[in-house]
Amino acid sequence: MWDKKLILQAQAIPEVVGAWKAGRSATIIAPAFMASLLQVIVPEQKGLWGVMPLPGFGKPQPADFGTTYATIAQASKSKDAAWAFTEWLATVGGQRRGFNPGALNAYLPGSDKLNLRNSYFATPNYAAAFQSGQSKLPYLRYTSDANAARQAVMTAQGAVLNGASLTDALNKAARDVANQTGRDIAK
């Protein structure tokens, strides 16, 4: 796919946006917030975009491309009010009023009830693709070994894109993480 230039090798956001505007993007693998950006950047492509879960090994797979956290500063003089706002934001009503209409919050008790109809998308409820996989996402718990694992995964991705087999690349990543951290390889 690299050789045939089917994958955009963008070095910066302007290149990605330029590809959208030129109609050179058939698919975008991106987080839910991208829905807001598409409407603003390429309004003329209304009705041409739909949303679907990521392809996986035999079935669609959810993924977490990053999370926005509601945080309360330790030094805050209004912690009770901040906590009350955070609790409200986690409700369906709070998500409908507190977020951009194109956004989907990952907090399940409210998000699983959202019906984000948007005439920009060909998909009737574009949030459904994200909601269906949301409860299957594992919680991320970072340890002091997170950077070693991240580097091993990035190296594996590069190896696969350069022709290595997925199995070989992942096995090497597992060995590298085990060697660097002293952890056993999961079975």
Side-chain angles (χ1 to χ4, degrees):
M1 292 201 309
W2 286 105
D3 295 342
K4 301 290 182 187
K5 300 198 185 283
L6 294 176
I7 297 174
L8 178 65
Q9 298 180 38
Q11 299 297 313
I13 294 296
E15 292 175 81
V16 174
V17 170
W20 295 348
K21 287 184 173 267
R24 293 186 304 135
S25 292
T27 186
I28 302 168
I29 299 173
F33 74 81
M34 193 61 71
S36 299
L37 295 179
L38 280 172
Q39 297 171 72
V40 172
I41 295 170
V42 285
E44 67 279 4
Q45 294 181 16
K46 179 180 177 178
L48 300 178
W49 291 96
V51 180
M52 63 179 275
L54 291 170
F57 300 101
K59 61 183 179 178
Q61 300 289 317
D64 183 356
F65 276 93
T67 303
T68 301
Y69 298 93
T71 60
I72 300 170
Q74 183 68 30
S76 173
K77 291 182 172 40
S78 304
K79 287 181 188 164
D80 290 340
W83 184 248
F85 173 76
T86 302
E87 286 181 321
W88 169 79
L89 194 59
T91 67
V92 173
Q95 289 186 27
R96 286 190 175 142
R97 290 203 55 210
F99 281 92
N100 179 315
L104 174 67
N105 186 355
Y107 186 68
L108 189 60
S111 289
D112 63 341
K113 295 172 183 65
L114 285 178
N115 185 345
L116 298 177
R117 296 202 176 272
N118 186 322
S119 62
Y120 182 84
F121 293 96
T123 313
N125 174 9
Y126 74 90
F130 300 101
Q131 291 164 329
S132 66
Q134 212 167 0
S135 63
K136 299 175 185 107
L137 284 172
Y139 288 101
L140 299 178
R141 288 183 172 77
Y142 291 103
T143 69
S144 58
D145 298 332
N147 284 336
R150 182 176 180 270
Q151 185 59 50
V153 168
M154 291 180 354
T155 300
Q157 287 174 335
V160 170
L161 290 173
N162 284 307
S165 81
L166 180 62
T167 301
D168 290 347
L170 291 178
N171 285 338
K172 181 180 181 325
R175 286 190 309 274
D176 289 350
V177 171
N179 289 337
Q180 291 176 35
T181 66
R183 293 176 181 254
D184 292 332
I185 296 176
K187 296 194 183 337

